[in-house]
Amino acid sequence: MLLIVVVGCGVLIFEAVSRCRKYDTRLLMGFGLALGPAMAVTAIVSFLPAAWAAGWLGDLSRLALEHNRYEAIVAEYSASPRSEWFAERYGITFSVDPGPPVRVAFNPGGFLDNWSGIVHDPSGEVMLADGFDEQGRFHAPDRITKIFGGDLVSCRWLWGDYYTCSFT
């Protein structure tokens, strides 16, 4: 998507430069030349925050729609902890890390071992995962980064005990 934004901005700048000969005054020509790059910078700078917000709102809306089903699955596996990988109940795909505490990742999806999902964590410790340090090591302790048999890279809070987390 970022490539599309950059190409679109390039087209705007090209159009502005190619139309400069048609302006009557230097003021209009300068305005026309400045408008294309200004729009390009605005589009590129606003792209990443907009993409982050859209991802967060998408996860939040999925959680809102499926909350009752998620809670039923969490209750079942909290009462009888056991490991599951890509199980399905109530039309929801999920994975379970028996813990303790029991953590459930809903709608895990991605490519190979890189995946993300909505994670229920009653302890809130998944928020300790904060990416990599300068030496390429994870910031969080192994008890957090190794849940679900992967490497937890980052999480952001959605609501209650629910987080959207990324694994590699």
Side-chain angles (χ1 to χ4, degrees), residues 16 25-26 38-39 50 65 70 72 74 82 94 105 108 110-111 129 133 151 153:
T25 65
R26 289 191 184 267
M39 290 175 66
L65 290 171
Y70 289 1
V74 167
R82 60 193 180 279
F94 62 94
F111 184 71
D133 64 12
D151 290 318
V153 178

Side-chain angles (χ1 to χ4, degrees), residues 86-110:
F86 287 98
E88 189 171 331
R89 297 243 196 313
Y90 316 114
I92 306 288
T93 303
F94 62 94
S95 296
V96 179
D97 185 89
V102 174
R103 293 180 177 98
V104 183
F106 297 98
N107 306 101

Side-chain angles (χ1 to χ4, degrees), residues 28-47:
L28 286 176
M29 186 183 303
F31 181 71
L33 283 174
L35 187 60
M39 290 175 66
V41 168
T42 301
I44 290 171
V45 167
S46 64
F47 174 79

